[in-house]
Amino acid sequence: MKTYSYLLDVIEKKGAAYLILIDPDKISGERLSSFVSACEKAGADGFLIGGSLLMGGNLEVAIDLIKKSCKLPAIIFPGAVHQLYKQADAVLYISLISGRNAEHIIGKHIIAAPIIKRMELEAISTGYMLIESGTKTTAEYISGSLPIPRNKPEIAVATALAGQYLGMKFIYLEGGSGAQFSVPNEMVFAVSKAVDIPIIVGGGIRTPQEAREKIENGAKIVVTGNFFEDENNWNLLKEFAEAIHI
Ligand code: 1GP
């Protein structure tokens, strides 16, 4: 089954899907291998791999290791055109529709398209929206774009609708990795009420309760990253998965 259909299937069967973001700069080798097995055992539904800025971590090695250590899909979450790899199950083909920087809306995509075609990667068109989250995030700084103000759900609704009408398959409401505050529940609610495509929410989610609130407000996929970089938190993986699956 292709990854997009797999995710829709998970959403239908479990009410929502739980994806875990792997930053190859932060985890590798044995530790990565045990982490992904623990995620699979706890009930996670897949992995996003990538980041706005990769310093030294190797995306290809991380994906190979994930594929070797578990059966869950490895989906590239590209911060740049060079973050593409044939062995991945899919790539979130993200267009930064909350920004006004053409390079991140369509420019990089043109460079990446022939590479994706050659690699025969499944591209999942995703409207990516940065939401103000307290402090400046790496995604915001690197993309050089203004996030949508937290108290302006109507801007988020109009932007997400535009993404849907442009034919995108998912809308990703992103607080940014390590965000001080996650995307406001009111905004998740307003956007998921307005659009028909599944909403992904990530950035700054640090408790199962917070993850659950996003689901209760209409999110269909929740992403966590930073929180599990601390091995002491791994025992909470199951609690997160259970909070997300209805
Ligand atoms: C970032 O939404 C993801 O793109 C995850 O964010 O690392 O803050 O959980 P965190």
Side-chain angles (χ1 to χ4, degrees):
M1 191 191 291
K2 288 233 180 185
T3 306
Y4 171 62
S5 314
Y6 161 80
L7 290 173
L8 293 185
D9 198 54
V10 170
I11 291 169
E12 198 185 313
K13 293 200 173 114
K14 302 188 188 173
Y18 181 26
L19 298 181
I20 295 180
L21 175 68
I22 305 278
D23 178 344
D25 273 343
K26 307 274 174 58
I27 185 165
S28 58
E30 267 301 302
R31 205 163 151 261
L32 174 59
S33 174
S34 344
F35 179 60
V36 296
S37 313
C39 293
E40 184 175 42
K41 216 167 133 216
D45 301 299
F47 297 98
L48 295 183
I49 305 105
S52 306
L53 181 67
L54 274 192
M55 298 296 283
N58 190 314
L59 183 99
E60 287 91 343
V61 173
I63 291 172
D64 284 340
L65 200 56
I66 293 170
K67 301 296 301 168
K68 220 169 75 189
S69 312
C70 73
K71 293 200 170 61
L72 297 175
I75 305 163
I76 298 174
F77 181 46
V81 172
H82 64 266
Q83 293 179 26
L84 290 170
Y85 183 44
K86 190 176 169 40
Q87 300 307 326
D89 292 287
V91 55
L92 276 195
Y93 200 58
I94 51 179
S95 177
L96 184 53
I97 57 175
S98 60
R100 296 296 178 270
N101 180 342
E103 273 305 298
H104 294 287
I105 299 171
I106 185 65
K108 306 279 184 203
H109 309 68
I110 293 168
I111 308 292
I115 305 172
I116 290 173
K117 172 92 174 157
R118 204 163 54 238
M119 289 183 174
E120 295 176 359
L121 263 176
E122 178 187 354
I124 306 174
S125 167
T126 302
Y128 192 60
M129 296 169 47
L130 283 181
I131 312 299
E132 188 191 0
S133 61
T135 49
K136 211 183 223 349
T137 61
T138 308
E140 204 181 311
Y141 179 80
I142 296 282
S143 66
S145 68
L146 272 182
I148 294 177
R150 297 180 65 72
N151 61 343
K152 299 283 180 194
E154 67 278 13
I155 299 181
V157 165
T159 309
L161 269 176
Q164 174 178 319
Y165 295 150
L166 281 167
M168 284 154 182
K169 293 191 169 126
F170 291 125
I171 291 294
Y172 194 138
L173 299 179
E174 171 69 277
S177 200
Q180 188 179 0
F181 307 114
S182 62
V183 177
N185 292 335
E186 303 71 37
M187 189 179 274
V188 176
F189 181 78
V191 172
S192 50
K193 266 248 166 277
V195 304
D196 306 315
I197 52 177
I199 308 296
I200 307 173
V201 179
I205 297 174
R206 295 178 184 86
T207 65
Q209 291 74 10
E210 206 172 354
R212 177 77 197 176
E213 285 170 20
K214 306 306 166 202
I215 300 296
E216 283 170 353
N217 282 282
K220 294 295 177 199
I221 301 180
V222 165
V223 181
T224 63
N226 260 266
F227 184 73
F228 291 111
E229 279 163 19
D230 180 351
E231 208 164 321
N232 296 318
N233 293 336
W234 291 9
N235 60 340
L236 285 172
L237 276 166
K238 194 159 184 275
E239 245 186 85
F240 268 87
E242 284 173 358
I244 290 162
H245 298 136
I246 298 167

